[in-house]
Amino acid sequence: MLSSESLALIDLEIAKYPAEQKQSAVMGALRIAQTEKGWLKSDVVEFVAAYLDMPAIAAYEVATFYNMYDTQSVGRNKITLCTNLPCALMGANEIAEHLKKKLGIGFGETTADGRYTLKEGECMGACGDAPMCLHNNHCMHTRLTPEKIDELLEQLK
């Protein structure tokens, strides 16, 4: 189900906790699985749960609670825009409209070519550098302007 490299990384996450509490590594394990697979299909979530000796429903609860996990297919480039108050006050709503217009999709949608998915996100702790977005859960882009968005989209082609 997962590569030996991903399993080794999950084992490193498990090692951070007492042996009888390896289910505590569920967030890290789901992140690793999603990085390899692109998104968390139900069989992947169930595999992670079994690997951690926990009920599948408990892993599903984590995967569906946090917006960093994708339980539906996403584009190669997932752009998560923070729209909480500090970002909104600094122009996130205008950035959202610019992104929607440029990509031709709304929040929660993927472009027809599968290149981009646009998501609305909760605060990611970069309020001082607002507005901001996260690319594929790993790369933060701050102090966004329409021009910076255009540059980012060009780089992601």
Side-chain angles (χ1 to χ4, degrees):
M1 176 66 60
L2 292 176
S3 68
S4 57
E5 293 83 8
S6 290
L7 293 175
L9 291 171
I10 291 172
D11 289 341
L12 288 173
E13 292 293 315
I14 292 170
K16 296 175 182 178
Y17 303 97
E20 68 278 2
Q21 295 179 5
K22 69 185 206 174
Q23 72 276 2
S24 297
V26 66
M27 290 186 73
L30 289 171
R31 176 186 48 79
I32 292 163
Q34 180 169 284
T35 298
E36 178 178 324
K37 298 293 187 180
W39 63 288
L40 297 172
K41 297 177 190 171
S42 59
D43 58 341
V44 173
V45 176
E46 291 167 8
F47 176 85
V48 168
Y51 196 79
L52 298 176
D53 296 327
M54 64 189 295
I57 189 64
Y60 278 113
E61 288 171 343
V62 173
T64 57
F65 180 79
Y66 294 100
N67 69 355
M68 69 188 104
Y69 301 116
D70 299 304
T71 55
Q72 295 181 1
S73 179
V74 294
R76 288 189 312 275
N77 298 292
K78 181 177 76 167
I79 299 171
T80 306
L81 179 68
C82 176
T83 56
N84 280 169
L85 186 59
C87 281
L89 290 173
M90 295 302 293
N93 295 333
E94 292 80 12
I95 297 298
E97 292 309 311
H98 184 73
L99 271 166
K100 290 174 184 178
K101 183 177 178 184
K102 289 289 280 193
L103 299 176
I105 58 173
F107 284 125
E109 297 178 345
T110 300
T111 57
D113 62 4
R115 184 173 290 169
Y116 302 101
T117 295
L118 183 58
K119 292 226 172 181
E120 187 171 19
E122 292 299 320
C123 181
M124 296 175 231
C127 302
D129 293 321
M132 63 84 54
C133 71
L134 200 58
H135 172 240
N136 288 346
N137 294 336
H138 297 312
C139 187
M140 188 177 285
H141 300 273
T142 60
R143 300 175 190 220
L144 295 173
T145 62
E147 296 77 24
K148 281 189 170 184
I149 288 296
D150 292 345
E151 289 173 21
L152 175 61
L153 295 177
E154 187 62 34
Q155 291 170 2
L156 299 178
K157 279 189 175 176

